[in-house]
Amino acid sequence: GIQVEQSPPDLILQEGANSTLRCNFSDSVNNLQWFHQNPWGQLINLFYIPSGTKQNGRLSATTVATERYSLLYISSSQTTDSGVYFCAVDSGGGADGLTFGKGTHLIIQP
Amino acid sequence: DTEVTQTPKHLVMGMTNKKSLKCEQHMGHRAMYWYKQKAKKPPELMFVYSYEKLSINESVPSRFSPECPNSSLLNLHLHALQPEDSALYLCASSQQGWANIQYFGAGTRLSVL
């Protein structure tokens, strides 16, 4: 099956800092999603981005499908950005489950 | 509205109990999913229903029994679970097709004693 690797596994930053999270995947994908999992376990959709670039406020994402990686940028970090960020992909058509990376655990200190 | 509702939020059960987890969506999605997430691990796929038919079963033990009564509802029936089955169980749904974006519920946190 498809492999998904995320880096770094852990990241500790001060409030106001910028960060870049990386997701590498081993095969071509039809779907790539970035999620933020809050401390209560809720997976919050950030981006659906199998290719190209998107921005939403302080967050933006870029996927270079031909090189099999995606980047999530967080600017001007806030303490509420803390949590685990997952990249998840599927490579099939139709209704296939997502394969998740191991996540990046982000801690934003005040 | 992109809401997937899961009940209950928390569940404690003994190894001889029978219980059910419920998931509901009203987005008109035709695919629904169950994932299991152990502590400090990523979610792992258990089952996929497509147009109310089971399309993927990731070799899940038979003590987990999924059911899709209609296109809006997904159940997970639990019987004779083991303590190692304690986890966060997440439901998701998606509109099959070109942009198969999955939306997740808040999960049911299950403890098996």
Side-chain angles (χ1 to χ4, degrees), chain A residues 56-69:
Chain A
N56 184 2
R58 297 182 295 104
L59 273 59
S60 63
T62 295
T63 298
V64 183
T66 53
E67 297 187 23
R68 298 180 183 167
Y69 73 88

Side-chain angles (χ1 to χ4, degrees), chain A residues 30-31 33 35 37 39-45 48 54 86 90 93-103 105, chain B residues 31 33 35 37 41-43 45 48-50 55-56 88 90 94 96-106 109:
Chain A
N30 290 326
N31 178 2
Q33 292 183 245
F35 297 93
Q37 188 165 43
W40 298 272
Q42 174 80 59
L43 279 170
I44 299 163
N45 278 336
Y48 166 79
K54 291 186 177 179
F86 287 108
D90 86 62
D96 288 345
L98 292 170
T99 299
F100 284 74
K102 292 184 178 181
H105 186 199
Chain B
Y33 311 78
Y35 291 81
Q37 186 177 20
K41 298 288 188 183
L45 183 68
V48 179
Y49 272 83
S50 175
S55 61
I56 296 178
L88 179 67
L90 293 161
S94 70
Q96 292 185 230
W98 174 247
N100 193 36
I101 303 170
Q102 291 191 27
Y103 297 91
F104 283 78
R109 200 165 291 279

Side-chain angles (χ1 to χ4, degrees), chain A:
Chain A
I2 193 166
Q3 305 297 313
V4 183
E5 293 183 0
Q6 290 188 243
S7 59
D10 300 283
L11 188 57
I12 301 174
L13 299 171
Q14 294 297 120
E15 204 166 20
N18 301 328
S19 58
T20 300
L21 282 55
R22 186 176 180 103
C23 172
N24 293 333
F25 43 96
S26 60
D27 204 347
S28 59
V29 298
N30 290 326
N31 178 2
L32 188 149
Q33 292 183 245
W34 281 98
F35 297 93
H36 175 210
Q37 188 165 43
N38 66 23
W40 298 272
Q42 174 80 59
L43 279 170
I44 299 163
N45 278 336
L46 298 178
F47 294 102
Y48 166 79
I49 188 164
S51 63
T53 297
K54 291 186 177 179
Q55 180 156 7
N56 184 2
R58 297 182 295 104
L59 273 59
S60 63
T62 295
T63 298
V64 183
T66 53
E67 297 187 23
R68 298 180 183 167
Y69 73 88
S70 183
L71 302 174
L72 177 69
Y73 305 97
I74 305 174
S75 64
S76 305
S77 298
Q78 301 175 358
T79 56
T80 51
D81 294 332
S82 296
V84 182
Y85 289 80
F86 287 108
C87 168
V89 304
D90 86 62
S91 57
D96 288 345
L98 292 170
T99 299
F100 284 74
K102 292 184 178 181
T104 292
H105 186 199
L106 176 64
I107 297 174
I108 305 297
Q109 297 177 332

Side-chain angles (χ1 to χ4, degrees), chain B residues 18-89:
Chain B
K18 288 184 181 181
K19 297 286 185 183
S20 297
L21 309 185
K22 180 179 174 181
C23 175
E24 193 167 4
Q25 58 87 14
H26 295 288
M27 296 178 276
H29 289 171
R30 303 316 301 264
M32 297 186 77
Y33 311 78
W34 282 115
Y35 291 81
K36 175 181 178 178
Q37 186 177 20
K38 299 282 282 182
K40 300 190 185 301
K41 298 288 188 183
E44 293 183 339
L45 183 68
M46 300 174 73
F47 302 104
V48 179
Y49 272 83
S50 175
Y51 291 89
E52 301 165 44
K53 293 190 188 308
L54 183 64
S55 61
I56 296 178
N57 176 343
E58 292 288 0
S59 303
V60 178
S62 59
R63 58 185 184 269
F64 295 91
S65 176
E67 178 197 20
C68 189
N70 60 57
S71 60
S72 300
L73 281 175
L74 185 66
N75 298 320
L76 186 62
H77 302 299
L78 314 173
H79 173 55
L81 294 193
Q82 303 297 309
E84 59 264 29
D85 296 320
S86 299
L88 179 67
Y89 288 85

